[in-house]
Amino acid sequence: MTNTPQTKPVAVITGASRGLGLELARALAEDGWRLVLTARNPEALASAETELKARTETVALAGSVVDDDHRERLAEAAASLGGASLLVNNASTLTGYELAGAAMPPLADFPLPGLLETFEVNILGPVALTQLLLPQLRARHGAIINLSSDAAVEAYAGWGGYGASKAALDHASATLAVEEPELRVWAVDPGDMRTRMHQDAFPGEDISDRPLPVTVVPAFLALLHERPASGRYRAADLAADRAVDPTEGK
């Protein structure tokens, strides 16, 4: 069946102005999705919107996922397009404040306002946005992708706040999957990538050996096309599974 403008599915993507969020938006646009995008930087988001509007119907709203009114506007925008079939909770913060070239703080010295912001952006915001979009997602047997990290399951010095918030997001994803069996709820560790966030975590270091975000996008598309069971996945494993899939291309 050919997708008409009215039947093309709708995806809501947070943190969509750069990095992995923008690459996912580009890929979904090429895959026939309509988009509701958000990010905190209005200039960067406007640039992404201009590019993506040439490919698909796109609504871009600048703001923070910790803002109650902004989340409402995102849900309303998705509803105005016919309802969301996919939510990608990609927006994240390392520390809740600008590191400005400083090292990641150990928990002993973690500024508590920054720790609170970290948990608000990385777990409270995604859960709250999910709550608003659940009626739309349920109606379409939709899916949720929550961006995780290896820091959620491994202890790295300086990554305690970020890792703990991602561990909480992993657990929320697993619980939601049990409570919403008609949906797909995937927590995905994309692996290290050559992004501004990764550079912020390693100030002054050469990260040119890390892969670009676009290289992990096929793993996310595989999730959407194949709809495996809800759960926690590593993008590297998904890519490896597809590389050895004997049915590939048949």
Side-chain angles (χ1 to χ4, degrees):
M1 182 177 71
T2 301
N3 283 332
T4 67
Q6 289 72 36
T7 61
K8 289 181 178 179
V10 176
V12 178
I13 307 175
T14 69
S17 65
R18 57 186 170 93
L20 180 58
L22 178 55
E23 294 298 347
L24 288 174
R26 287 169 171 157
L28 290 175
E30 293 300 318
D31 213 29
W33 291 74
R34 292 176 291 161
L35 303 172
V36 176
L37 309 178
T38 187
R40 285 187 286 191
N41 185 311
E43 291 78 17
L45 186 64
S47 176
E49 179 184 26
T50 299
E51 173 192 332
L52 291 163
K53 270 189 169 178
R55 308 184 190 186
T56 189
E57 190 171 3
T58 301
V59 177
L61 300 169
S64 171
V65 294
V66 306
D67 183 296
D68 294 348
D69 293 337
H70 181 60
R71 291 194 302 267
E72 292 276 3
R73 288 193 290 273
L74 293 174
E76 290 169 0
S80 71
L81 293 180
S85 294
L86 172 65
L87 168 62
V88 182
N89 282 310
N90 171 65
S92 298
T93 179
L94 283 173
T95 57
Y97 61 91
E98 292 294 333
L99 281 166
M104 298 277 280
L107 280 176
D109 301 321
F110 208 122
L112 293 185
L115 189 59
L116 177 61
E117 178 74 5
T118 300
F119 274 76
E120 286 188 336
V121 172
N122 294 357
I123 174 67
L124 183 60
V127 169
L129 184 56
T130 298
Q131 289 177 338
L132 288 173
L133 288 172
L134 269 177
Q136 299 178 32
L137 295 167
R138 287 171 179 148
R140 292 158 186 79
H141 301 286
I144 300 167
I145 296 176
N146 289 327
L147 267 295
S148 185
S149 166
D150 62 339
V153 294
E154 299 286 345
Y156 302 114
W159 290 78
Y162 181 84
S165 69
K166 290 297 184 179
L169 184 61
D170 278 3
H171 192 78
S173 302
T175 302
L176 188 65
V178 172
E179 295 174 345
E180 303 285 343
E182 298 302 317
L183 302 181
R184 290 291 186 270
V185 185
W186 302 302
V188 182
D189 170 10
D192 288 350
M193 295 180 292
R194 198 187 318 167
T195 63
R196 183 182 301 178
M197 175 180 281
H198 201 81
Q199 186 68 78
D200 289 345
F202 299 97
E205 292 190 22
D206 180 7
I207 64 167
S208 61
D209 60 332
R210 273 69 163 185
L212 290 169
V214 69
T215 63
V216 302
V217 167
F220 288 83
L221 294 181
L223 280 176
L224 294 172
H225 293 164
E226 299 166 11
R227 291 182 65 88
S230 296
R232 189 179 193 280
Y233 292 87
R234 295 174 64 248
D237 295 336
L238 290 166
D241 289 346
R242 287 180 61 78
V244 300
D245 184 355
T247 67
E248 187 75 20
K250 292 184 178 180

